[in-house]
Amino acid sequence: MKKVIITGRAHPVLKDSLVMQGYQVLDAPEISEEELANLIPDAEGLVVTTRIPVNKQLLDKALRLKWVGRLGSGMEMIDQPAAEAKGVRCLSSPEGNRNAVAEHNLGLLLNLLNRLSIAQDEVKRGLWKRIENTGIELSGKAVGIIGFGNTGSSFARLLEPFGVTVLAFDKYKYGFANGYIKEASLEQIARYADVISLHVPQTVETTGMINADFFSILQRKPVLLNTSRGKVISLPALINALKEKQISGAGLDVLPNEKLSSYNESEQAELDWLLARPEVIITPHIAGYSFEADYKMAAVLLEKLGIAIS
């Protein structure tokens, strides 16, 4: 019988649909790398999230593997050249959670502009500050979006009712300007944007792209949002940008190292500093997690595999 291993949290429709197509499905969201290496030799399909890397060592043991399906976006955990050399298809499902990421991103932005978390914390401490918590309206602002793929374009669509101008940069796309959405360079975003939102994959090119040099050319002290990948931003440079007021706040759903228990002294000091800042919000990589996205990611992956949804 054909075998599929699911290594992360997945909507039940994924397993049910695979079973209906004759697959033996091992639904193991807590499986370890060692356990997966022992089980992979007879697997035809592998479903992954961000938990376990699909590297050459694992692929070399995958004697019958035909496809790797990624729930969500970002393929940095998969050695695609090694997979393709073995004839293994690599699929992802960013269409499934792009709206969830966009809504979370908008939530971070509105929270920061209207000082919601700050004000709530003060009320919990018995403080009732109104003038000090005067908000900033999103309407009429310029929003810079770096990376105009699934999530970047979805975020732009949510912004339309706010009457903003979107300045969008994508190194590998053009011709997408439309009405309030303008194509822009990184330099134009740095000069004119009141908000800068990151929606790029983690690659050699994008790792550390938001660094001290980038922060130094910002003109409008923007709010910075990152719901893409943590390593896109240099954390020391971000901290310095906040200290020097080169940005007015930051909403982060990702960090360079998301295994908090593994932090060294320097990493812990950086995180502690950020968590103490009222103008910073950090959430635990949950932007793409919604009940609806769980289903849609599974459905998109099944569709790309040519498997009917049961």
Side-chain angles (χ1 to χ4, degrees), residues 184-204:
S185 66
L186 284 175
E187 291 74 18
Q188 288 172 319
I189 288 174
R191 179 177 293 273
Y192 300 113
D194 302 290
V195 177
I196 297 177
S197 188
L198 305 174
H199 300 275
V200 295
Q202 183 183 314
T203 65
V204 172

Side-chain angles (χ1 to χ4, degrees), residues 48-116:
V48 299
T49 54
T50 57
R51 257 186 6 95
I52 295 180
V54 183
N55 52 34
K56 187 177 185 301
Q57 292 76 17
L58 182 66
L59 289 165
D60 285 343
K61 296 178 180 179
L63 306 179
R64 300 179 60 187
L65 195 64
K66 293 184 178 179
W67 54 266
V68 177
R70 165 78 163 91
L71 289 173
S73 61
M75 301 290 275
E76 70 275 6
M77 299 289 285
I78 302 172
D79 187 335
Q80 292 186 79
E84 290 163 3
K86 293 173 64 69
V88 176
R89 295 172 65 198
C90 297
L91 307 164
S92 63
S93 53
E95 302 89 344
N97 68 347
R98 59 189 175 190
N99 187 68
V101 174
E103 288 193 10
H104 187 96
N105 211 50
L106 181 59
L108 289 174
L109 177 56
L110 294 176
N111 188 324
L112 288 164
L113 291 179
N114 292 285
R115 300 174 61 86
L116 302 183

